[in-house]
Amino acid sequence: VSVSARAVFSKYSIEPASPIDFGAMIKGTKKSQVLLLENMGMLSFRFFIRQAPQRKRHGLLLAKCVEVMAVRHQPLLALFLQAALSVGMFTVSPCSSSVSPSGVQKITVDCNAGPEGKCEEQLYIDISGR
């Protein structure tokens, strides 16, 4: 009896690279940008988008521009139930899904310009099986 196996891990690319900058916007207007998450591996993977925890640095509470980057896989059952994630002036959809081998998932980031001033958030894409 011949037995064989091949160990693999998730391979992916995210375009465009972060940060995403919506630039100056008129209050009350909306702009959208699209991220492409491509599965370059041999197995399907699941992704979840979540807000990054805020960090203190030099006594200031910081949050960066909408950045999307990979982090360790953590169980995020609540995100299975969400179609979109809203953080500040930004809405991301879908915020979770599966991507098949050679598949590409379009992720839309909407910015609804609210109160005057700068709005920055940091988001993560959590990809299973890395």
Side-chain angles (χ1 to χ4, degrees):
V1 173
S2 177
V3 179
S4 67
R6 186 175 186 185
V8 296
F9 56 92
S10 296
K11 295 179 184 177
Y12 56 90
S13 72
I14 301 171
E15 293 293 330
S18 63
I20 297 172
D21 186 358
F22 285 90
M25 294 176 61
I26 297 172
K27 183 178 176 178
T29 62
K30 177 182 172 181
K31 280 187 186 177
S32 296
Q33 292 198 30
V34 175
L35 291 171
L36 298 177
L37 176 59
E38 180 180 4
N39 184 342
M40 301 169 68
M42 298 174 64
L43 300 172
S44 294
F45 63 73
R46 187 146 189 92
F47 75 90
F48 306 92
I49 299 176
R50 65 183 178 94
Q51 183 177 14
Q54 293 181 336
R55 299 171 289 175
K56 285 191 176 184
R57 190 181 296 163
H58 305 296
L60 298 174
L61 197 58
L62 297 179
K64 292 198 166 209
C65 274
V66 175
E67 287 183 20
V68 183
M69 50 185 36
V71 295
R72 284 190 213 164
H73 176 69
Q74 299 172 0
L76 298 169
L77 184 57
L79 289 179
F80 275 111
L81 307 175
Q82 286 182 278
L85 173 66
S86 292
V87 179
M89 293 192 301
F90 306 102
T91 303
V92 181
S93 65
C95 63
S96 68
S97 187
S98 288
V99 184
S100 60
S102 301
V104 176
Q105 174 69 55
K106 290 182 181 181
I107 301 168
T108 303
V109 181
D110 295 323
C111 181
N112 293 299
E116 191 174 332
K118 190 173 186 177
C119 180
E120 297 178 337
E121 298 292 342
Q122 185 169 350
L123 304 174
Y124 288 101
I125 293 182
D126 187 359
I127 296 175
S128 65
R130 291 185 315 288

